[in-house]
């Protein structure tokens, strides 16, 4: 797996010339979309198959500032998954220094097109397998890769 990369844009900064806190939530979504695509469960394909994956909750801890033109890497992990609900964890790190900028979590559920909860294990076993295999794995990213500049 490769972490998602993002270069901070000027419009994402605030009056203090640091990335506004709300942008990290967007970066979580961008990283999660990339992560799911790499894992073999792209959002677009899941939606074509009639699966909706809404965000139920989000939390974010701000550790250090990201500034305009900084490039960050977003590491995404599946913290827990039971086929109906999923919790993702994120680490946003400076690409050069590997300093942690932000950590956070999102929780999700799986719905059909009628907005009814579904079990991936029963309805879509191929997606269930993908997420179950990734659940709890903290070694998805090559340690050597984290050190590349």
């Amino acid at each position: 797996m490769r972490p998602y990369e993002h270069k901070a844009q000027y419009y994402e900064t605030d009056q203090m010339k640091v990335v506004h806190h709300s942008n990290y939530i967007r970066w979580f979504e961008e990283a999660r979309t990339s992560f799911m695509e790499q894992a073999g469960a792209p959002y677009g394909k899941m939606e074509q198959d009639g699966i909706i994956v809404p965000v139920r909750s989000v939390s974010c801890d701000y550790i250090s500032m990201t500034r305009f033109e900084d490039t960050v890497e977003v590491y995404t992990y599946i913290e827990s998954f039971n086929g109906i609900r999923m919790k993702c964890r994120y680490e946003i790190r400076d690409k050069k220094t590997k300093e942690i900028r932000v950590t956070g979590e999102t929780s999700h559920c799986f719905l059909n097109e009628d907005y009814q909860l579904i079990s991936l294990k029963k309805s879509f076993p191929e997606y269930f397998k993908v997420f179950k295999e990734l659940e709890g794995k903290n070694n998805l990213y090559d340690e050597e890769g984290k050190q590349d500049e």
Side-chain angles (χ1 to χ4, degrees):
M1 297 288 258
R2 305 272 323 144
Y4 174 75
E5 282 190 24
H6 183 86
K7 184 175 182 179
Q9 302 300 306
Y10 185 78
Y11 73 87
E12 295 173 312
T13 63
D14 59 19
Q15 191 173 12
M16 297 183 299
K17 298 186 178 34
V18 295
V19 170
H20 188 269
H21 65 276
S22 64
N23 289 293
Y24 294 104
I25 306 305
R26 289 185 181 105
W27 299 355
F28 288 171
E29 183 172 319
E30 292 170 11
R32 186 174 60 256
T33 302
S34 172
F35 176 86
M36 289 173 66
E37 185 174 331
Q38 290 180 69
Y43 261 128
K45 173 81 168 81
M46 290 181 74
E47 287 181 349
Q48 286 174 352
D49 290 340
I51 304 167
I52 303 166
V53 189
V55 174
R56 298 179 62 238
S57 66
V58 63
S59 67
C60 195
D61 293 314
Y62 306 98
I63 312 299
S64 61
M65 292 182 241
T66 304
R67 298 184 182 280
F68 171 57
E69 293 189 326
D70 286 353
T71 299
V72 295
E73 295 175 320
V74 186
Y75 296 85
T76 306
Y77 305 91
I78 295 178
E79 189 75 18
S80 62
F81 170 75
N82 68 8
I84 299 169
R85 291 187 171 81
M86 175 173 69
K87 184 180 284 185
C88 297
R89 180 173 51 86
Y90 308 88
E91 287 181 3
I92 297 179
R93 295 178 174 266
D94 182 272
K95 184 176 179 183
K96 289 181 184 173
T97 68
K98 303 305 177 201
E99 178 183 5
I100 294 178
R101 301 289 188 201
V102 168
T103 60
E105 290 184 348
T106 55
S107 66
H108 308 266
C109 62
F110 298 92
L111 305 176
N112 64 19
E113 292 171 319
D114 295 323
Y115 305 106
Q116 305 281 325
L117 276 174
I118 59 171
S119 167
L120 292 186
K121 186 173 186 175
K122 293 178 186 173
S123 302
F124 296 92
E126 65 278 13
Y127 291 127
F128 178 84
K129 182 180 178 189
V130 167
F131 294 125
K132 200 62 178 171
E133 287 178 358
L134 294 170
E135 179 187 24
K137 290 192 176 177
N138 292 323
N139 62 346
L140 295 172
Y141 302 95
D142 182 36
E143 281 301 317
E144 185 176 306
K146 279 189 175 183
Q147 303 306 319
D148 287 347
E149 297 208 8

